[in-house]
Amino acid sequence: MAQLSEMLFYYKASLGGGVFGTVDEDNNLADFKKISRGSLAVDWTQITPVGFDNYLFYSASSGRGCICKIQGDDDSLAMGDRKVFPPGTFSRDWNVIVRLSGGRNLYYRRATGEGLVGTANSDGMFGNFTFIPPGSFANDWTEIISLDSDRILFYSGSDGRVAIGAIDDNNFISEIYVPPPGTFGNDWTQITRLKFGRWFFYSAPTGRACIGTIDDDFNFGEDKVFPPGILSPNWTQITRVRAAITGDGL
């Protein structure tokens, strides 16, 4: 009986390298395929899906980017540029770019508390922008994650505080719930959504991680804890790229 696993892409900016790894239904992690150092640029600050199996690699320092597609099967994965955007194509200093429902992406700038919601088509063309003016968001969010069809989780790594908001069809974002202080640790540098209501939390300084759940009533729970040393430290981006089937087949 096959076991359904999900695939994560870990990127380390200092090395320009990465690794594909799997996480199964029992929350077991395994390396799958390494991408050697120097294979990737060293300035990507966000790696996020933009629909149609495309992923946006974005550099906050220059505003450059590229659209990449993950190609091949589980035994021969490869990454290839589909479209390259030179410096200045994007605004600089977007700190978080997150995939939302309805084919949308939210761009967030911490220094000004402003944002932008837009879409990308299958050819990698961006448009349908809604601007969210400065001061609309707090200026300390370090991770923003789409919870489900319309809910968004905002997390601050400086103090571990969290807020949950909702976005409507007109891209209006409102706050709906603020969990009590201390709900999350204050050292998570990556929070990645998995299937089955699970979330992967990772701390770059120590390499510690956990997989937890968030239910419909906003209750948070830890399912599995990975102590420091289980994962390499200093992964700067962790992105779920697709599902993989492992085991003996269906």
Side-chain angles (χ1 to χ4, degrees):
M1 184 70 178
Q3 187 172 45
L4 179 63
S5 294
E6 298 181 78
M7 190 167 293
L8 298 175
F9 173 61
Y10 304 75
Y11 164 74
K12 188 170 293 186
S14 62
L15 300 179
V19 65
F20 289 103
T22 57
V23 51
D24 65 23
E25 292 172 304
D26 296 323
N27 299 327
N28 298 308
L29 300 175
D31 285 349
F32 186 74
K33 178 181 174 63
K34 293 183 179 179
I35 300 174
S36 58
R37 66 171 62 192
S39 298
L40 303 170
V42 297
D43 63 336
W44 301 128
T45 54
Q46 290 290 294
I47 302 173
T48 189
V50 291
F52 306 98
D53 294 325
N54 293 327
Y55 298 84
L56 172 65
F57 288 64
Y58 165 79
S59 170
S61 62
S62 66
R64 76 183 191 96
C66 77
I67 297 289
C68 176
K69 185 177 282 288
I70 310 297
Q71 299 172 318
D73 57 29
D74 294 346
D75 295 319
S76 59
L77 282 171
M79 306 177 72
D81 290 348
R82 295 194 64 223
K83 190 167 188 175
V84 176
F85 301 93
T89 303
F90 296 94
S91 295
R92 291 182 296 174
D93 299 327
W94 294 121
N95 300 104
V96 179
I97 304 175
V98 60
R99 184 70 171 170
L100 303 178
S101 61
R104 299 170 293 180
N105 283 79
L106 170 65
Y107 303 72
Y108 163 75
R109 182 174 287 130
R110 189 177 303 124
T112 57
E114 65 184 298
L116 174 73
V117 177
T119 61
N121 65 20
S122 59
D123 295 322
M125 298 296 293
F126 293 82
N128 301 316
F129 294 119
T130 298
F131 293 92
I132 303 171
S136 299
F137 296 108
N139 60 5
D140 63 340
W141 301 126
T142 53
E143 284 288 278
I144 301 174
I145 310 97
S146 176
L147 292 179
D148 53 26
S149 61
D150 63 352
R151 298 185 303 170
I152 308 169
L153 184 144
F154 298 82
Y155 166 79
S156 171
S158 62
D159 58 9
R161 75 186 184 93
V162 174
I164 294 175
I167 182 168
D168 64 19
D169 292 340
N170 295 317
N171 297 329
F172 178 77
I173 298 176
S174 59
E175 187 175 86
I176 59 175
Y177 179 68
V178 178
T183 301
F184 283 6
N186 63 358
D187 64 336
W188 301 124
T189 55
Q190 291 289 296
I191 304 175
T192 305
R193 180 181 178 180
L194 304 174
K195 288 187 175 180
F196 311 118
R198 300 175 301 164
W199 305 87
F200 180 67
F201 299 78
Y202 168 79
S203 173
T206 63
R208 80 180 188 97
C210 79
I211 293 177
T213 57
I214 305 173
D215 65 22
D216 292 339
D217 296 320
F218 310 116
N219 296 309
F220 300 84
E222 288 184 345
D223 288 351
K224 189 167 185 177
V225 175
F226 303 92
I230 299 296
L231 295 172
S232 296
N234 299 323
W235 294 119
T236 49
Q237 285 288 292
I238 301 176
T239 304
R240 187 178 74 122
V241 292
R242 65 188 182 93
I245 298 293
T246 61
D248 299 324
L250 293 175

